[in-house]
Amino acid sequence: MAKLDNQTLIGHLQKAFGSDISSVEEPFGLLSIQVSKERILSILAFLKDDKELQFIYLTDITAVHYPAQALSIAVVYHLHSLVNNIRIRIKVFLDGAKPEIPSATSLWNGANWMERETYDFFGVIFEGHPDLRRILNVDEMEVFPMRKEYPLEDPNRVDKKDFFFGR
Amino acid sequence: MSELRPKRMTNQPIFEDNDPQDELVTLNLGPTHPATHGVFQNVLQIDGERIVSGVSTIGYIHRAFEKIAEHRPYYQITPLTDRLNYCSSPINNMGWHMTVEKLLGIEVPKRVQYMRVIVMELARIADHIICNGILGVDTGAFSGFLYVMQEREFIYEIYEEICGARLTTNIGRIGGFERDFNEVAFAKIRQFVKRYPPVLSEFEDLFNRNRIFIDRTSGVAAVDPETALSYSWSGPLLRATGIDYDVRVNEPYSSYEEFDFDIPVGENGDVYDRYMVRNEEMRQSIRIIEQALNKIEQEPKGIFHADVPEIYLPPKEEVYNNMEALIYHFKIVMGEIDTPKSEVYHAVEGANGELGFYLISDGGRAPYRLHFRRPSFINYQMYAPMSRGMLLSDAIINMSSLNVIAGELDA
């Protein structure tokens, strides 16, 4: 086990994709890279199909909202190479007004609900997804609740007001 | 009346395309059907007893934990994790504590790590008891369920000794436990280790070679390893297909690398294999608890938390009599501990699979973003596709063997 370390892994990726890979970090030993949305699908496919890397396991897809940034939505992929026992985190930053990214459902069936959940909470449009509907929230909802501008609860509620200590 | 609910109806699954002569029956399995063991719905299209297609609708108990977590200090998130997989809350609690400890760089003493291992393995046993017991009930055998439920009750008594609660346990603090295990707790754990294996053997005697049980489960809902990996399955379900992926071994946390235990794997990935894998995992958990009890004997007594006064709440009498303790108490309760600006992914082996916590901290009192990788949610998405062509009664058995916990499904 653990034949592969982060240095070798990033070497492989940079040989194949060169300057497409930016802001390489290793927070707590987990290699974290950033790519553009044009290259994300080819990088995922490369990681999955490469005979040595074998990132066959899609652990998770989620998103993060950074309202202060120009590209405000970050879609985060966690992949796991079970054979080499190593994980990688891939981030793609998208325009918050029109967050569109190719769907990974062609590579993993399991990406289906993960992407639906991400769409449900952040409004990320996964192009090519077979069934991009809301999954946990009600269908009538018109907002994307995990975005930072959406309040946790209505600030004008009076029933929870405490006249001595505020809220 | 019709204009009140038009939007909802348009998003409901409509099965027109494959039923031109209107011969198939649409059946709502759930959300409150007893066979679903939780609040989630499957709209099935059935031809006699055979399922033609199905659509899963989930989210009935979605409680927006990820949103709430962005507004709570770290220590107040532990009760939220209780309510993910409420059949094995301690694993979620410990996973969350370890995630924050990883972020803050806290090294927890060995004795605490072993205590955590004990609690987590007890929770794993309790969860597997539920799953396999209910599987027996769904195949028509009620008595096995009663034998093991009594033992689950005993595990809950151990929880009560440790933390006072039974179901939503909220065990521990960031940095350790809130109190040491008392003598009664240790005695009960030792008693449980002794009395559980015979009960489990009795349970297995009822089922393992039972003709009816084998006929109902063997070969039902068999999944090959490639499909399981493609759907990101984890935990006992993935191991039943023959892939030996266990987070406890691949990325050991809480000193799991020091323990000697086996990972059971199945062969066919059918319901019977899942049942056998879960049974064997309970035996291995007992082995782990025995070793942990022995290891605790070697450690100095009375240590139940790390020495991190800026994170761990001081005892109450200290707060009233000691200036530093008062300051720390205030800072912790007001959520003003300093956290590094970073992000961390930490996974533990939950009872249903890889339970991951993806935490992004911006240095504030609450997480900037917290995402739970919930195994039930990810395992369950295969249910509707794999039910296609299955008998309705097989689909029910399949659902109980997936062990979908609605709290973890919806977060």
Side-chain angles (χ1 to χ4, degrees):
Chain A
M1 296 290 253
K3 287 167 283 187
L4 202 66
D5 58 13
N6 285 347
Q7 297 311 319
T8 345
L9 176 56
I10 195 69
H12 272 89
L13 281 168
Q14 269 164 352
K15 205 167 76 188
F17 292 94
S19 58
D20 287 334
I21 290 164
S22 56
S23 53
V24 179
E25 292 171 15
E26 283 184 58
F28 300 97
L30 203 158
L31 184 69
S32 180
I33 61 171
Q34 194 179 315
V35 299
S36 67
K37 76 170 175 182
E38 285 76 24
R39 303 308 301 274
I40 178 65
L41 215 53
S42 50
I43 284 187
L44 291 176
F46 170 78
L47 284 166
K48 189 190 172 201
D49 298 332
D50 190 273
K51 285 281 169 288
E52 196 180 340
L53 303 181
Q54 296 191 54
F55 280 89
I56 48 167
Y57 193 79
L58 174 68
T59 304
D60 206 8
I61 298 175
T62 187
V64 191
H65 188 207
Y66 297 100
Q69 294 182 13
L71 297 174
S72 62
I73 298 271
V75 178
V76 187
Y77 298 78
H78 282 92
L79 304 189
H80 194 168
S81 170
L82 298 180
V83 177
N84 298 307
N85 197 15
I86 188 168
R87 289 178 197 272
I88 188 170
R89 177 186 297 138
I90 303 166
K91 288 188 180 180
V92 184
F93 280 85
L94 303 173
D95 183 6
K98 215 180 76 175
E100 290 171 349
I101 189 169
S103 164
T105 40
S106 55
L107 297 170
W108 291 280
N109 291 321
N112 191 324
W113 279 20
M114 301 176 193
E115 289 180 351
R116 274 180 74 184
E117 192 191 17
T118 311
Y119 162 73
D120 193 356
F121 288 104
F122 292 91
V124 179
I125 309 286
F126 289 90
E127 291 159 338
H129 190 286
D131 183 24
L132 199 63
R133 286 183 293 132
R134 286 194 180 271
I135 187 162
L136 291 179
N137 290 309
V138 290
D139 299 331
E140 293 88 344
M141 202 170 209
E142 282 160 357
V143 293
F144 298 111
M146 283 300 285
R147 292 198 179 197
K148 290 285 178 187
E149 68 263 19
Y150 190 77
L152 183 62
E153 62 181 352
D154 182 4
N156 301 317
R157 275 176 71 163
V158 287
D159 55 330
K160 284 197 174 180
K161 202 153 208 163
D162 186 322
F163 290 99
F164 293 102
F165 298 106
R167 276 174 62 85
Chain B
M1 191 64 193
S2 61
E3 70 270 20
L4 285 177
R5 326 167 33 196
K7 273 186 184 169
R8 178 86 200 171
M9 295 311 287
T10 52
N11 273 330
Q12 285 292 326
I14 302 164
F15 304 105
E16 287 169 1
D17 49 337
N18 58 353
D19 188 16
Q21 296 184 321
D22 201 21
E23 288 172 326
L24 304 179
V25 176
T26 304
L27 177 77
N28 275 294
L29 188 63
T32 51
H33 193 279
T36 59
H37 310 303
V39 204
F40 39 93
Q41 185 192 27
N42 287 287
V43 186
L44 304 172
Q45 200 181 29
I46 52 176
D47 177 13
E49 272 204 72
R50 210 161 273 283
I51 295 169
V52 177
S53 63
V55 177
S56 303
T57 312
I58 64 168
Y60 284 90
I61 60 162
H62 174 59
R63 293 145 298 176
F65 281 163
E66 291 179 6
K67 188 77 181 179
I68 297 172
E70 289 176 7
H71 299 260
R72 295 268 183 281
Y74 288 90
Y75 69 96
Q76 286 186 8
I77 293 171
T78 320
L80 299 183
T81 65
D82 278 337
R83 285 146 181 85
L84 287 176
N85 184 346
Y86 39 72
C87 290
S88 55
S89 305
I91 301 183
N92 311 341
N93 299 154
M94 299 300 144
W96 167 243
H97 296 325
M98 282 185 266
T99 310
V100 182
E101 282 157 13
K102 198 168 170 182
L103 177 75
L104 298 172
I106 299 172
E107 187 69 37
V108 174
K110 280 283 177 197
R111 186 169 188 268
V112 178
Q113 297 190 4
Y114 300 143
M115 283 157 74
R116 282 185 173 173
V117 166
I118 291 179
V119 175
M120 282 190 283
E121 294 306 320
L122 283 174
R124 194 181 315 284
I125 293 173
D127 197 288
H128 286 353
I129 282 177
I130 293 270
C131 177
N132 277 353
I134 297 281
L135 184 65
V137 174
D138 283 349
T139 52
F142 200 79
S143 33
F145 170 72
L146 292 178
Y147 290 174
V148 286
M149 271 326 244
Q150 200 179 351
E151 301 306 308
R152 175 170 170 268
E153 180 64 29
F154 196 79
I155 294 177
Y156 279 13
E157 280 179 28
I158 298 174
Y159 291 172
E160 267 184 273
E161 291 297 338
I162 292 170
C163 69
R166 290 164 56 85
L167 191 71
T168 48
T169 49
N170 194 8
I171 290 182
R173 301 271 179 272
I174 294 156
F177 282 88
E178 71 274 26
R179 61 176 84 80
D180 199 359
F181 289 6
N182 58 23
E183 280 311 307
V184 184
F186 274 119
K188 281 195 168 170
I189 294 166
R190 280 197 197 89
Q191 197 189 339
F192 178 77
V193 168
K194 275 207 187 60
R195 66 182 252 181
Y196 187 59
V199 176
L200 183 59
S201 301
E202 205 172 11
F203 179 73
E204 287 189 312
D205 286 347
L206 281 173
F207 287 101
N208 284 9
R209 309 270 302 154
N210 185 320
R211 185 74 249 165
I212 302 169
F213 185 72
I214 291 174
D215 282 351
R216 288 298 306 276
T217 55
S218 181
V220 170
V223 177
D224 57 293
E226 290 77 26
T227 318
L229 282 175
S230 174
Y231 274 96
S232 299
W233 269 16
S234 52
L237 300 176
L238 181 65
R239 289 193 283 276
T241 66
I243 294 171
D244 58 342
Y245 171 54
D246 190 318
V247 187
R248 291 177 292 177
V249 177
N250 276 35
E251 290 172 343
Y253 50 89
S254 199
S255 293
Y256 265 112
E257 69 275 11
E258 297 173 13
F259 291 89
D260 179 25
F261 62 101
D262 300 328
I263 303 184
V265 289
E267 215 169 272
N268 307 317
D270 56 3
V271 177
Y272 188 74
D273 279 12
R274 291 172 208 159
Y275 158 84
M276 291 299 271
V277 164
R278 285 204 170 92
N279 268 348
E280 186 54 33
E281 270 186 25
M282 289 196 260
R283 290 195 191 285
Q284 299 302 325
S285 294
I286 291 282
R287 264 177 84 189
I288 296 172
I289 295 172
E290 274 175 344
Q291 294 171 41
L293 283 171
N294 290 336
K295 282 177 193 289
I296 283 179
E297 302 265 297
Q298 318 294 326
E299 297 293 322
K301 277 193 178 12
I303 295 173
F304 59 95
H305 63 87
D307 186 19
V308 278
E310 66 275 21
I311 313 291
Y312 186 88
L313 268 181
K316 203 70 181 175
E317 58 269 27
E318 286 283 301
V319 176
Y320 291 133
N321 298 314
N322 184 330
M323 191 63 198
E324 284 77 23
L326 178 65
I327 293 168
Y328 282 133
H329 179 94
F330 182 79
K331 288 187 80 167
I332 294 166
V333 171
M334 298 309 286
E336 290 181 9
I337 48 175
D338 295 325
T339 49
K341 281 182 193 163
S342 188
E343 53 188 60
V344 54
Y345 179 83
H346 184 73
V348 295
E349 181 69 25
N352 283 333
E354 177 177 340
L355 175 68
F357 296 87
Y358 177 44
L359 168 65
I360 299 179
S361 162
D362 63 344
R365 65 197 288 266
Y368 185 77
R369 169 97 172 95
L370 175 63
H371 179 71
F372 306 109
R373 190 236 186 242
R374 313 182 301 281
S376 285
F377 176 75
I378 291 167
N379 293 345
Y380 183 62
Q381 64 173 314
M382 190 159 156
Y383 181 71
M386 79 196 285
S387 298
R388 225 160 270 161
M390 208 182 269
L391 288 174
L392 183 60
S393 50
D394 286 349
I396 301 280
I397 306 280
N398 183 24
M399 186 185 286
S400 31
S401 79
L402 291 183
N403 195 22
V404 180
I405 311 289
E408 198 175 52
L409 186 71
D410 291 348

